Amino acid sequence: MGEFELIRRYFLSMAPADGGDELVLGPGDDCAIQRVPAGRDLVFSVDTLVEGCHFPPGYSPESVAWRALGSAASDLAAMGARPVCFTLALTLPDASDRWLAPFARGLAEAGGAFGLALAGGDTTRGPLTVTVQVHGTVPQGQALRRRGAVAGDVIAVSGTLGDAAAALDYLTEPAPSVEAARLLARYHRPEPRFELGEALIGVATAAIDISDGLCADLGHILDASGVGATVDARRVPLSPALRRCCGASALVKALYGGDDYELCVTIPAGRWRTLPESVKGGLTAIGEVDASPGLRLLHAPGEAAGAGYDHFRSADD
Ligand code: ADP
Ligand code: MG
């Protein structure tokens, strides 16, 4: 199977028909064309998953697709953007149907679930690597940024944290319990918080998605905003499944583990009190922004404030 046959067989079939309102031209030409509606900004981000680094050799191709699209799309949610389309740069060791068919199926499912249409891509031979660039739009000038948190803001997170990190212990075996299966689902099928992100436009002063761990990602907001924070670790939301599977280490996973793709946001205290239940219900307040730099973690287990995952940091740094 040649390159073009491969593209046609697996990917062009999932691309939308040309002539959409926003994705005007999809794959098949030299470029795709996206039309950005008047009064909106284009927001885009690219992410790469490398076999052996971001997922183990032999990892389910469907889940590679869900994780690649989900992790990239989560960055759109963190900016408050509405998803539009994505491109896919795929590097494959060989053109095997056994890998490509389930990968393409997962990609079509995830694209449908996230509202992201395939706009184009690139296909090359080499070590298995999946790069996804996602495009979305936000009301002009209103994207949620990491910069903007001010002293007195409430710090809140969506959903529950630590589940995906806990799932790493079960990746290579059949799930030993219903709880472990729940944790694994969080890892295999990330769910970007698009609705929440959009609802927080004009409300949150800063936002980030939690891909590297709460402490590390909140740290990015604090650095970018030039502020500090106090977080009560007892208020960090943990799922029943995480508590049951991890016991005493559940909180460590929630504070330092990545891959949850929940949102961490800062909201002025007055605004927090009057937030409609439809938005507030998806959030848990865990602390407060203050003026003195650094992250103060109250009631945390005896572990230094974590740094999350950093590809270029060595163990002895
Ligand atoms: P060019 O040589 O002009 O860069 P390519 O030969 O790389 O074009 O790709 C031909 C067309 O197929 C382009 O429209 C491109 O977007 C699309 N394409 C290539 N690989 C993929 C893929 N994996 N998924 C979707 N579309 C793809
Ligand atoms: Mg070309």
Side-chain angles (χ1 to χ4, degrees):
M1 177 170 45
E3 178 187 333
F4 294 107
E5 171 59 14
L6 184 161
I7 294 167
R8 195 189 56 74
R9 187 182 300 178
Y10 295 104
F11 299 111
L12 295 194
S13 52
M14 76 176 76
D18 294 340
D21 287 343
E22 296 198 58
L23 182 59
V24 176
L25 183 63
D29 214 307
D30 290 314
C31 290
I33 302 176
Q34 180 180 352
R35 186 165 298 150
V36 179
R40 296 184 71 87
D41 285 334
L42 174 65
V43 173
F44 53 97
S45 171
V46 67
D47 271 303
T48 293
L49 298 188
V50 179
E51 184 182 51
C53 179
H54 301 92
F55 59 91
Y59 184 58
S60 142
E62 267 164 310
S63 295
V64 170
W66 274 91
R67 283 178 50 72
L69 207 54
S71 60
S74 174
D75 290 319
L76 293 179
M79 302 291 282
R82 204 171 63 202
V84 176
C85 60
F86 71 102
T87 55
L88 166 72
L90 190 57
T91 303
L92 295 165
D94 51 54
S96 93
D97 182 69
R98 271 191 52 205
W99 195 89
L100 275 162
F103 175 79
R105 196 165 54 237
L107 198 71
E109 283 171 11
F114 303 155
L116 283 162
L118 182 62
D122 194 31
T123 308
T124 53
R125 190 185 287 267
L128 183 57
T129 306
V130 180
T131 297
V132 167
Q133 167 140 333
V134 288
H135 286 201
T137 67
V138 286
Q140 211 167 76
Q142 293 196 63
L144 304 177
R145 306 264 312 263
R146 296 178 178 189
R147 192 178 79 188
V150 289
D153 285 354
V154 169
I155 299 168
V157 295
S158 63
T160 61
L161 303 182
D163 294 341
L168 294 178
D169 294 340
Y170 304 109
L171 277 190
T172 52
E173 47 182 296
S177 64
V178 180
E179 283 82 21
R182 288 215 178 100
L183 301 178
L184 281 164
R186 294 279 321 260
Y187 180 85
H188 294 315
R189 301 269 189 283
E191 285 177 38
R193 301 296 179 201
F194 297 118
E195 278 182 25
L196 182 62
E198 268 200 89
L200 289 172
I201 285 190
V203 174
T205 50
I208 193 166
D209 66 318
I210 303 175
S211 54
D212 295 333
L214 172 64
C215 290
D217 289 319
L218 173 57
H220 295 314
I221 287 186
L222 303 181
D223 288 347
S225 303
V227 292
T230 304
V231 165
D232 183 345
R234 293 173 307 186
R235 293 164 75 185
V236 172
L238 309 177
S239 71
L242 180 69
R243 288 180 196 276
R244 238 164 275 144
C245 289
C246 293
S249 66
L251 189 54
V252 177
K253 307 269 189 212
L255 291 170
Y256 306 115
D259 293 326
D260 285 315
Y261 302 107
E262 296 293 353
L263 299 184
C264 175
V265 301
T266 57
I267 298 175
R271 195 73 183 79
W272 171 257
R273 282 191 290 275
T274 59
L275 266 189
E277 196 44 43
S278 58
V279 180
K280 204 171 182 175
L283 291 167
T284 304
I286 59 167
E288 197 180 292
V289 178
D290 42 51
S292 67
L295 174 59
R296 285 156 294 284
L297 210 47
L298 308 182
H299 307 110
E303 193 158 320
Y309 190 70
D310 179 335
H311 282 274
F312 293 99
R313 177 175 291 148
S314 65
D316 44 32
D317 271 355

